Amino acid sequence: MTEGEKTRLIAWSNELRAVHGRLREALRVTQAAVKAGQPTGPPTRELLLFCHGFCTALTGHHEGEDRELFPAIAAAHPELGPTLRKLEQDHSMIAHLIAALQAATERGLPPDKLEGHLEGIAAIMESHFRYEERELLTVLETLALDADPSDVLGPL
């Protein structure tokens, strides 16, 4: 294996860590925007954009993993099937929470109500990211996957 090939292989673990970091930051920014809003008033246009942007980014990340990354891992490491199924279940749970947040923003619920939705997403998302990193980073260091990182891990 050449140094260039080794660098490309290791890049998937680095890419996953980097995307998780950017999603964590996007969540922090969204939570800060919600906290800065008027507690009883309708959400501002800017706040709605933060929520929509965060939801879109997190959903895109999980859809890319389900479509591209997890099948590649399953093919190379069938013993990780139970781990991948748990991660896919987490994706489904997070999608449900995101849908509830999106519905709350569309109904114009005040920021204090949106904050509760974000707290739920934050708790599950952080648990999911830690588990995913603990279980998959070593595998990703050796995964040969010839794909665009934004297709695999989302547009972040």
Side-chain angles (χ1 to χ4, degrees), residues 74-153:
H77 298 277
E79 73 280 5
L80 290 174
T83 298
L84 297 173
R85 282 190 293 284
K86 182 194 178 323
L87 290 168
E88 289 169 341
Q89 288 173 342
D90 285 355
H91 290 176
S92 178
M93 183 184 332
I94 292 169
H96 177 74
L97 294 172
I98 286 173
L101 172 62
Q102 289 173 322
T105 59
E106 289 169 8
R107 287 194 317 267
L109 294 184
D112 61 333
K113 301 294 184 197
L114 300 180
E115 194 172 342
H117 286 280
L118 285 169
E119 287 173 7
I121 292 170
I124 301 300
M125 184 183 94
E126 188 58 35
S127 172
H128 171 77
F129 283 178
R130 287 181 185 198
Y131 179 74
E132 188 171 61
E133 290 171 3
R134 189 172 55 249
E135 297 297 319
L136 298 183
L137 284 181
T138 302
V139 168
L140 290 176
E141 290 175 355
T142 61
L143 185 68
L145 176 59
D146 185 24
D148 183 323
S150 66
D151 291 337
V152 176
L153 298 174

Side-chain angles (χ1 to χ4, degrees), residues 1 5 9 18 25 27 36-37 46 56 62-63 65 81 88 95 102 120 122 125 138 143 147:
M1 175 181 323
E5 289 171 329
L9 293 174
E25 180 59 24
L27 176 62
E46 291 78 18
T56 299
H62 289 158
E63 288 173 349
E65 285 182 332
E88 289 169 341
Q102 289 173 322
M125 184 183 94
T138 302
L143 185 68

